[in-house]
Amino acid sequence: CSSDLQLTMIRDGQGDHSETKVALAMFEALNAIDHRYRSYVGMPVGAADADQQAAAMTAATEVLLKLAPGNKTAVQESYDLAMAGIAEGPAKTNAIAIGRQAAAAVLALPDIDGSVKQSDYRPAAAPGQWVPTALPVLGPYSVAYRPWVLKSASEVRPAPPPALTSERYARDLDEVKRLGAMNSKERTSTQTLMARYRINSDEMPALRELMDQTGRRLVDNARVFALYDMIGDDAGMAMADGKLHYDFWRPITAIRNADRDDNPATSADPAWVPLINTPNHPEYPCGHCIGTGAVAELMTAVGGKKPSWGVRIASGSLGTSAVQVTPDWDEWARQVSFSRTLGGVHYRFSNEAGEAMGRKVARLGLERALQPLPAGEGRPAS
């Protein structure tokens, strides 16, 4: 019940940071009852005998009713049905109060950091020259949310990409040109499937496996989900910061204009197209790689690098495909990173920079938020 509750209710969040607020509110409610970790919002310790399921459901519902008003009826009906199965009494009453308090504390957190200057994107073009008119999906607000664990969106900004005239740039451009082309003769059929399978990853099978392990408490699971979303939000901000700061060209642009990069080791192919559609935002660093690096680092910390049940990851882009099992989190992250080159949308140097950024965000998140309480400060072990 605990895994299903968190998995399904988190998915109902809408808008930036909404999913994270649902997850964090559930954690705060459960942690107030089964006090094991540092509160993010300064939540006081609550009644130890309060019903944990009721508290978590109340916290999630209160946040969803506020942030997803379009789903109000469905959310309220689901909540009423679930709560009808919990016996009336002090445990339920106390749980509802704790859940509402947790939700109110999380909803009170600010979203946009007013001190961050938001600058609109300006396409680079010579006066009078036509350029594609679609603006990038990253808006000026993308780096203006208040981070959960980072000090700023730029805290983990990577070093610049290799110079266009460098040997590394030429080597990585040639790799994506050969392997990532729509009509590539060097990419294997398995690699083509990997490029498409990894466009959108669904880590829920792996999260469910961890949540269902014997001995885990509700608050342990809630903490993982909260950290998963908090670290994910900040990794996304770090990605936007890097991309908007460096504004680096995508392979399709670089390969078609390689005769203009002043590098004698590159050659242009004016008709080159990638295997998968190029995302509408700058290339460096790789966003998929940041996200998977963060997840791999977090899951290694909370469940081990090589869990005995395997790393089970589904595909959000090929919904009818089977869940893939990799031996460890590092191998999964490597596959996702390489898939972006196989798809023709990222250079290897961008993949490596992105994964390193994501892992750093996750490490900082584990150091700065929802830390385990020292011995003697939490609830006695039951």
Side-chain angles (χ1 to χ4, degrees), residues 286-360:
C286 166
H288 277 63
C289 310
I290 294 173
T292 53
V295 171
E297 193 75 11
L298 171 63
M299 295 300 285
T300 295
V302 299
K305 174 183 175 180
K306 191 174 183 178
S308 59
W309 54 89
V311 174
R312 301 176 60 82
I313 305 293
S315 174
S317 46
L318 298 178
T320 59
S321 60
V323 173
Q324 188 183 44
V325 182
T326 60
D328 58 52
W329 285 104
D330 288 350
E331 172 61 18
W332 172 68
R334 186 197 69 79
Q335 287 188 17
V336 174
S337 291
F338 189 41
S339 76
R340 305 308 284 168
T341 297
L342 294 171
V345 296
H346 275 299
Y347 316 97
R348 184 177 290 270
F349 59 75
S350 187
N351 300 342
E352 293 173 357
E355 183 179 336
M357 288 173 66
R359 290 182 180 276
K360 187 172 183 179

Side-chain angles (χ1 to χ4, degrees), residues 237-266:
M237 287 185 62
M239 173 202 71
D241 170 79
K243 287 180 179 293
L244 295 175
H245 178 77
Y246 290 115
D247 202 26
F248 199 67
W249 59 3
R250 289 279 183 173
I252 187 171
T253 309
I255 293 169
R256 288 181 173 220
N257 292 280
D259 55 341
R260 304 177 184 178
D261 61 17
D262 295 326
N263 191 325
T266 66

Side-chain angles (χ1 to χ4, degrees), residues 106-126:
V106 171
L107 288 169
L109 295 171
D111 280 325
I112 296 295
D113 183 350
S115 67
V116 176
K117 181 180 179 181
Q118 298 188 40
S119 300
D120 291 315
Y121 176 81
R122 297 181 64 185

Side-chain angles (χ1 to χ4, degrees), residues 143-277:
V143 296
Y145 283 96
R146 183 187 61 86
W148 296 103
V149 297
L150 296 180
K151 295 177 181 177
S152 69
S154 62
E155 183 178 358
V156 296
R157 182 186 293 169
L164 300 186
T165 55
S166 68
E167 179 183 351
R168 175 66 193 270
Y169 174 78
R171 183 172 71 248
D172 288 4
L173 182 72
D174 178 68
E175 180 183 43
V176 69
K177 182 180 180 182
R178 290 183 294 102
L179 295 178
M182 174 70 76
N183 59 353
S184 172
K185 303 300 183 183
E186 297 187 33
R187 187 181 59 244
T188 68
S189 59
T190 299
Q191 289 175 331
T192 298
L193 286 173
M194 182 189 294
R196 291 172 172 156
Y197 189 94
R198 298 299 190 194
I199 293 174
N200 291 305
S201 289
D202 178 2
E203 294 101 31
M204 288 304 167
L207 284 162
R208 188 184 294 278
E209 288 282 357
L210 175 63
M211 300 303 121
D212 289 343
Q213 296 306 302
T214 302
R216 292 190 63 83
R217 298 180 294 262
L218 279 176
V219 70
D220 299 330
N221 291 347
R223 172 181 179 257
V224 172
F225 278 114
L227 284 172
Y228 174 87
D229 281 336
M230 294 165 77
I231 288 169
D233 282 348
D234 282 14
M237 287 185 62
M239 173 202 71
D241 170 79
K243 287 180 179 293
L244 295 175
H245 178 77
Y246 290 115
D247 202 26
F248 199 67
W249 59 3
R250 289 279 183 173
I252 187 171
T253 309
I255 293 169
R256 288 181 173 220
N257 292 280
D259 55 341
R260 304 177 184 178
D261 61 17
D262 295 326
N263 191 325
T266 66
S267 59
D269 181 351
W272 189 91
V273 292
L275 172 66
I276 63 176
N277 292 332

